[in-house]
């Protein structure tokens, strides 16, 4: 399904992020036996940010305040807040979206929680875009993501195949009308889904009565191993991922307008490491555009639901190495368990 495009009002985005100042180094994890040398080489990442204090929703509030400050907007002006996450938010029976809204000062905003795994930012942004196009005069919308992959419930280094998980939060203010200085214009946002692949992250033998009833630590390797055996192996699954990525990017570029593929300066990838970029995303993007690809996860790892917004923040950061020049265009890819894929095309205003 696609959203936005030439038929609706132009939507601008002002992103921001907050990452913990502390980190665990890959070299230390290797020395401690938490990862192997082969895994370190396949990932190619230097470190993972680790929160030694703030919870995921508390980090989301910090990212939200940064995005609002960059946009020059008070939280009181927000009409809605969409908060997305992948993992535990600090309480068992509770709405983290309402906490983020309250602590940000968005007391007139309607909060909504989004749990679409690692494509959470894409899903939340899609919801925000629907609202803005349906009610263009209703006020700006805030999108936030945050995850903290803390022990003992999660092993950020060894809990999954080919993914290392970093703590952090990202946010974006989205609106219509006059854009703040330095904003990104959202030219297209397209999302595709393949619900028949949901069992990659599910124990197929039984549903469980409570969290961690099956194992004390989240074990994605167990469910993925069973899934791949049933699906005909790793190569068949990687082929499906490549095809879906190619299709969602091609659809987003078509929605963004003629010659958009040739105008891209970069395609930013989900932060899943060197091997995944080489085996899945690089070949998938090459089917559509000659634009260079980049994985910005060397010092962040995979930020759960937040990769898409963090990549947008990198494009909007005037002091950063990945700053998008005025008038420049870029695409940002996102994917999450389920499976769901999103592709956003943005232009620097």
């Amino acid at each position: 399904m696609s959203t936005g495009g030439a038929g609706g009002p132009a939507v601008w985005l002002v992103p921001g992020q907050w990452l913990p100042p502390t980190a665990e180094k890959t070299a230390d994890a290797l020395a401690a036996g938490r990862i192997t040398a082969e895994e370190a080489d396949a990932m190619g990442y230097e470190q993972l940010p680790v929160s030694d204090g703030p919870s995921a929703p508390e980090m989301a509030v910090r990212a939200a305040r940064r995005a609002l400050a960059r946009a020059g907007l008070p939280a009181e002006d927000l009409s809605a807040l969409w908060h997305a996450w992948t993992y535990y938010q600090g309480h068992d029976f509770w709405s983290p979206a309402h906490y983020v809204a309250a602590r940000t000062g968005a007391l007139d905003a309607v909060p909504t929680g989004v749990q679409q795994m690692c494509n959470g930012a894409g899903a939340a942004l899609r919801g925000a875009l629907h609202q803005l196009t349906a009610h263009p005069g209703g006020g700006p919308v805030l999108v936030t993501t945050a995850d903290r992959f803390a022990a003992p419930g999660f092993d950020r280094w060894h809990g999954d195949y080919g993914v290392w998980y970093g703590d952090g939060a990202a946010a974006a203010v989205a609106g219509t009308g006059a854009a703040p200085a330095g904003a990104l214009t959202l030219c297209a946002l397209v999302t595709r889904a393949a619900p028949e692949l949901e069992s990659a992250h599910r124990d197929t033998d039984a549903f469980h009565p409570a969290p961690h009833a099956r194992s004390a630590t989240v074990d994605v390797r167990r469910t993925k191993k069973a899934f791949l055996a049933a699906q005909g192996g790793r190569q068949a699954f990687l082929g499906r991922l490549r095809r879906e990525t190619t299709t969602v990017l091609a659809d987003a570029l078509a929605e963004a307008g003629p010659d958009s593929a040739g105008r891209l300066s970069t395609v930013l990838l989900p932060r899943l490491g060197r091997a995944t970029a080489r085996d899945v995303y690089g070949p998938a993007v090459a089917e559509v555009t000659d634009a260079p690809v980049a994985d910005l996860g060397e010092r962040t790892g995979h930020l759960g639901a937040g990769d898409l917004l963090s990549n947008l923040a990198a494009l909007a950061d005037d002091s950063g190495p990945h700053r998008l020049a005025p008038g420049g265009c870029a695409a940002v890819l996102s994917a999450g368990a389920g499976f769901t894929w999103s592709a956003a095309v943005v232009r620097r205003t």
Side-chain angles (χ1 to χ4, degrees):
M1 177 178 181
S2 63
T3 55
V11 173
W12 50 259
L13 302 171
V14 177
Q17 69 174 353
W18 188 87
L19 300 178
T22 54
E24 293 182 4
K25 302 292 185 180
T26 300
D28 294 335
L30 184 59
R34 299 182 68 183
I35 56 174
T36 67
E38 291 77 14
E39 289 170 335
D41 181 68
M43 192 61 56
Y45 286 174
E46 176 186 335
Q47 66 176 34
L48 300 178
V50 175
S51 174
D52 58 5
S55 67
E58 288 171 321
M59 292 190 289
V61 171
R62 299 181 186 194
R65 289 172 177 166
R66 289 189 174 181
L68 286 165
R70 289 194 67 242
L73 291 173
E76 292 84 356
D77 287 356
L78 296 171
S79 62
L81 181 145
W82 296 71
H83 176 64
W85 67 93
T86 296
Y87 184 57
Y88 188 62
Q89 295 287 287
H91 292 281
D92 293 328
F93 197 64
W94 175 66
S95 172
H98 286 73
Y99 174 92
V100 176
R103 293 303 178 97
T104 302
L107 301 184
D108 293 326
V110 177
T112 301
V114 177
Q115 219 289 336
Q116 204 187 74
M117 302 301 286
C118 299
N119 196 46
L125 187 58
R126 183 171 178 265
L129 187 57
H130 279 171
Q131 178 169 338
L132 289 167
T133 53
H135 305 285
V141 176
L142 179 65
V143 175
T144 61
T145 70
D147 277 297
R148 183 187 183 202
F149 299 99
F154 206 100
D155 183 340
R156 68 181 70 249
W157 296 97
H158 194 69
D160 198 350
Y161 286 122
V163 188
W164 290 351
Y165 294 83
D167 300 343
V173 183
T176 58
L184 302 172
T185 297
L186 183 62
C187 303
L189 176 65
V190 171
T191 295
R192 291 176 56 83
E196 67 273 19
L197 302 179
E198 56 79 24
S199 61
H201 292 77
R202 173 171 61 87
D203 283 320
T204 55
D205 55 346
F207 284 87
H208 309 306
H212 297 290
R214 178 66 167 79
S215 58
T217 302
V218 173
D219 187 358
V220 187
R221 295 189 178 214
R222 181 184 69 249
T223 61
K224 280 187 176 179
K225 184 176 180 179
F227 171 81
L228 292 175
Q231 292 289 320
R234 181 174 179 270
Q235 291 306 314
F237 181 57
L238 293 183
R240 179 69 184 273
L241 299 183
R242 284 192 293 268
R243 292 191 298 273
E244 296 290 350
T245 300
T246 294
T247 301
V248 76
L249 178 59
D251 288 350
L253 291 172
E255 184 176 288
D259 302 322
S260 58
R263 293 187 284 112
L264 290 180
S265 62
T266 187
V267 179
L268 298 185
L269 310 179
R271 301 178 182 191
L272 302 175
R274 177 189 296 153
T276 302
R278 179 194 64 222
D279 297 338
V280 176
Y281 288 101
V285 171
E287 292 288 330
V288 183
T289 176
D290 293 331
V293 300
D295 177 343
L296 307 187
E298 182 180 1
R299 296 180 62 81
T300 71
H302 179 51
L303 294 171
D307 281 2
L308 188 151
L309 293 187
S310 185
N311 282 338
L312 291 176
L315 293 174
D317 183 1
D318 286 333
S319 62
H322 303 285
R323 171 184 179 270
L324 190 60
C329 293
V332 181
L333 297 175
S334 178
F339 272 72
T340 311
W341 296 263
S342 289
V345 180
V346 296
R347 182 180 70 252
R348 184 68 182 266
T349 57

